[in-house]
Amino acid sequence: MMKKLILIMLAWSFSATAQEFDSTAMNKVDGCMSGPTHEFGKYIGDWNILERRLDQDGKWTEHTGTKWNFKCVGNGIAVQDYWLPANGTAGTNLRVYNPSTKSWDIAWTATLTPGLARINAVQHDNGNIVMHYVTEITPKRRITFFPPHKNGWAWQMEIDLEGRGWTKVLELIASNPEDNLLKSGLGR
């Protein structure tokens, strides 16, 4: 009987701790709204994405229906996003600020991409966050997040074909539902 009571108490204790953790650290965003974590924290929210892709003929095509959701993890431990294209695939980034290097260590994985890609990012003086793959990838890619504004924000991917310089091949335009303005601090 004593063993059963101890097991019940342990189970109850774990359940209460898990609920407490979920209702505190995992639902707070304050830690992502100040200091270096705010560099990606300002994108927290659920975004509708317009994709513009450069096709093989050099023409731009537009695609809608993608969602990109940014979340604060552990009240400032990290910023995680969920990439949800209209085609049903999915991807996620986990972004952790490294104070030693004053840069972001990022892990990316996606449905159609086996394994994990490592990415490094630095915010520049103009507010742009520029990302480079640490994991070897061909062609080389450079991704830029542009600072949010009242109506959303933009992102672009450039590739370097055989060392001939950067060419923009993908542009994303995020539109923000009204509540994103308050979460990101832009509506204050």
Side-chain angles (χ1 to χ4, degrees), residues 49-149:
I49 302 296
L50 168 66
E51 295 181 56
R52 296 185 65 239
R53 295 182 178 271
L54 185 64
D55 65 24
Q56 299 285 11
D57 300 331
K59 295 180 184 169
W60 288 91
T61 58
E62 291 188 356
H63 306 275
T64 59
T66 294
K67 305 288 184 199
W68 202 355
N69 304 332
F70 284 72
K71 306 293 180 198
C72 182
V73 176
N75 198 22
I77 295 169
V79 175
Q80 184 166 12
D81 71 63
Y82 302 91
W83 174 253
L84 306 165
N87 67 6
T89 61
T92 188
N93 286 287
L94 182 65
R95 299 175 166 86
V96 178
Y97 187 78
N98 183 337
S100 301
T101 61
K102 296 184 180 176
S103 66
W104 289 84
D105 296 323
I106 302 170
W108 160 254
T109 191
T111 306
L112 303 175
T113 309
L116 198 63
R118 290 183 53 233
I119 302 170
N120 182 266
V122 174
Q123 181 170 295
H124 292 250
D125 290 340
N126 62 3
N128 294 349
I129 301 173
V130 179
M131 301 169 40
H132 292 276
Y133 279 76
V134 175
T135 303
E136 194 63 34
I137 190 165
T138 304
K140 289 184 178 181
R141 299 174 188 184
R142 175 172 69 188
I143 297 169
T144 305
F145 276 83
F146 297 98
H149 51 78

Side-chain angles (χ1 to χ4, degrees), residues 6-16:
I6 290 171
L7 287 173
I8 290 170
M9 288 175 59
L10 285 173
W12 177 78
S13 173
F14 176 75
S15 175

Side-chain angles (χ1 to χ4, degrees), residues 44-46 176-184:
I44 288 174
D46 300 328
N176 53 337
E178 188 62 34
D179 64 341
N180 283 352
L181 289 174
L182 297 176
K183 289 178 189 174
S184 67

